[in-house]
Amino acid sequence: MVEWTESERAIIQDIFSRINYETVGPAALSRCLVVYPWTRRYFGNFGNLYNADAIMTNPKVAAHGTIILHGLDRALKNMDNIKETYAELSVLHSEKLHVDPDNFRLLADCITIVLASQMGKEFTTDMQAAFQKFMSVVVSALGRQYH
Amino acid sequence: MLSKKEKELIAEIWDRLTPVADDIGSEALLRMFVIFPGSKTYFSHLNISPRSPHMLSHGKKIVLAIAEGAKDISQLMVTLAPLQTLHAYQLRIDPSNFKLFSHCMLVTLACYMGEDFTPTAHAAMDKYLSAFSAVLAEKYR
């Protein structure tokens, strides 16, 4: 089981209370598709993903980015049992969507960097540490049911 | 593979950051030490508390080397030759740490540049830092 300090719990709740889901979600997913172009393989039916401009203005990418970010709410509400919380989603990503689990880490890194660029100096080392710990637990849970 | 535009963008960004090399460098190091504590094992001989004189001077050294390489990316093997030898035979830092440092450098750049750290800049910078790390580790074996 993952151990969370009081400080880490507070930081995570604080970060999520400050996030604008409709901005961060789309920014993170589109950034991932630009920085790691091979991730576009999973979004064949999203239309034009041929260059950065097309990706950043693609409405399907934006909508999906928001969905993904809201998906993190469940971990936020169940920090002591993230593994169970995402068991079904893990199966979905493995058996139906066939997503290489390494991609979860790439997206998590992009979310971190979007937060950093939006929060600037306020994204302190401690905040980054707590947030990355949270995301690594999420990433691990999403990859857990692969076999 | 870096395009001509990306190389110019990278050179421009690092040129702009050279005056604050110690700030950027020490912050990236600090982030790495906190988030990836294993990386601290290479620095038992330095005072690595936030913004200590060691952190500032060491951070500056690293950033200036990255900035120097950015001036002519096609010549990285030449520019980094002395550092390659240093890392391979003396420092012997496990190259997996270069990835950790690069990640923390990207976060530091994002905090510093805000909206200017666009996805395009991020992609170019990630590619450059990967290339830099690969060249740095070339003489290891």
Side-chain angles (χ1 to χ4, degrees), chain B residues 10-53:
Chain B
I10 292 163
E12 192 258 320
I13 291 175
W14 286 111
D15 190 56
R16 237 194 305 151
L17 293 175
T18 301
V20 288
D22 53 359
D23 288 332
I24 300 283
S26 61
E27 190 182 319
L29 279 172
L30 178 67
R31 287 182 187 274
M32 182 180 67
F33 293 147
V34 170
I35 291 156
F36 307 109
S39 60
K40 289 193 289 187
T41 56
Y42 296 100
F43 294 90
S44 51
H45 60 295
L46 294 185
N47 171 0
I48 55 172
S49 52
R51 296 191 67 81
S52 72

Side-chain angles (χ1 to χ4, degrees), chain B residues 103-121:
Chain B
H103 170 74
C104 291
M105 177 55 78
L106 290 175
V107 173
T108 303
L109 292 177
C111 288
Y112 197 79
M113 295 170 63
E115 271 179 21
D116 284 347
F117 196 57
T118 61
T120 308

Side-chain angles (χ1 to χ4, degrees), chain B residues 5 11 14 47 49-51 64-66 79 84 87-88 94 102 108-109 113-114 123 130-131:
Chain B
K5 256 174 105 169
W14 286 111
N47 171 0
S49 52
R51 296 191 67 81
L64 290 182
I66 296 175
T79 317
Q84 284 178 321
H87 282 76
D94 190 315
S102 297
T108 303
L109 292 177
M113 295 170 63
S130 302

Side-chain angles (χ1 to χ4, degrees), chain A residues 31 116-117 120 123 125 128 132, chain B residues 31 35 103 110-111 114 117 122:
Chain A
R31 186 169 286 250
S117 96
F123 194 57
T125 308
Q128 183 189 349
Q132 287 203 206
Chain B
R31 287 182 187 274
I35 291 156
H103 170 74
C111 288
F117 196 57
H122 174 175

Side-chain angles (χ1 to χ4, degrees), chain A residues 27-52:
Chain A
L29 181 59
S30 51
R31 186 169 286 250
C32 188
L33 296 170
V34 170
V35 177
Y36 309 111
W38 55 91
T39 55
R40 297 174 206 177
R41 72 189 303 283
Y42 301 109
F43 299 95
N45 58 343
F46 272 33
N48 186 354
L49 298 179
Y50 296 125
N51 54 55

